[in-house]
Amino acid sequence: MKQKLIYIAIFLMLCPFVGMAQSEDQKVIKGFSGGMMLHTGYLSGCDNPFNFNPRGMTFGIGGVAKLHLTDHLRAGFEGYFSSMGLKKEVASGSFNKVFWTGILADWYWKAGKFYPYFGATVGGGMETAYYMFEGDKHDWIPETSAVYNKKPFFAIDPFVGVEYAVGDALRLTLKADFLLAVNKDGLNRPMGPRIYFGFIFAH
């Protein structure tokens, strides 16, 4: 539900700018693009009072929408969900999930059919952690050795990537980032690089 609301909000915000982009007299917006991406990565790091270091592969999905302000500068919004299941050192069923969204700006250029780019996203999100140190997720017995925690964070997410033009409107994109999630206690952990792959529709 949160994901749908994000996309609806992005669409409503972009509508008036798209109209400006189509005006021949005012070339304020050079174009627009957007699409979906899947991602994976390896995260690790401890910021809990149990000296437990959650680590492992994370997987997620999200989307992005950008306005092309010049021939090289783009700005827009993006949002993602990322989930890391934990099976080592804790019982099966433990997890660490992160949602974040924000405004972005990137710089891109054209090299044949390739469009390399780099930039950053600034926004916020929420981490949800559930660590079950003993027990079984398949039974109905109350777990006495488990913790559940949610905390918001301020997000700074630098990224670098490249798009490949399959046709006039369709591009494939490959991106890498490193989410820096800052909460009241400092940098949020676990943390690590993510790799994204998806498709972009450009106009």
Side-chain angles (χ1 to χ4, degrees), residues 7 33-37 62-66 77-80 171 173 198-202:
Y7 295 142
S33 59
M36 300 287 293
M37 284 179 273
V64 61
K66 302 176 184 178
F77 305 85
E78 65 178 353
Y80 299 95
R171 300 177 186 175
T173 186
F199 60 89
I200 300 293
F201 293 104

Side-chain angles (χ1 to χ4, degrees), residues 93-148:
S94 301
F95 62 81
N96 186 282
K97 296 180 180 180
V98 174
F99 159 75
W100 75 99
T101 185
I103 58 174
L104 67 84
D106 69 17
W107 186 264
Y108 75 102
W109 61 98
K110 184 178 180 181
K113 290 189 174 184
F114 293 91
Y115 294 80
Y117 61 89
F118 66 92
T121 299
V122 177
M126 181 74 69
E127 179 200 20
T128 303
Y130 177 68
Y131 304 145
M132 186 164 61
F133 297 103
E134 294 179 3
D136 188 342
K137 69 177 181 179
H138 298 293
D139 60 32
W140 289 96
I141 300 174
E143 308 298 347
T144 58
S145 184
V147 293
Y148 179 81

Side-chain angles (χ1 to χ4, degrees), residues 136-186:
D136 188 342
K137 69 177 181 179
H138 298 293
D139 60 32
W140 289 96
I141 300 174
E143 308 298 347
T144 58
S145 184
V147 293
Y148 179 81
N149 182 264
K150 293 185 72 171
K151 54 188 173 186
F153 58 79
F154 172 74
I156 303 174
D157 188 23
F159 57 79
V160 60
V162 62
E163 295 173 0
Y164 175 77
V166 178
D168 292 336
L170 178 62
R171 300 177 186 175
L172 301 179
T173 186
L174 181 67
K175 184 181 82 166
D177 76 347
F178 199 101
L179 177 64
L180 301 174
V182 183
N183 56 47
K184 60 184 180 64
D185 299 317

Side-chain angles (χ1 to χ4, degrees), residues 28-33 66-71 73-75 108 171 202-203:
V28 178
I29 307 298
K30 302 294 184 180
F32 53 91
S33 59
K66 302 176 184 178
L67 297 175
H68 301 195
L69 304 179
T70 72
D71 291 333
L73 178 64
R74 302 182 294 193
Y108 75 102
R171 300 177 186 175
H203 175 74

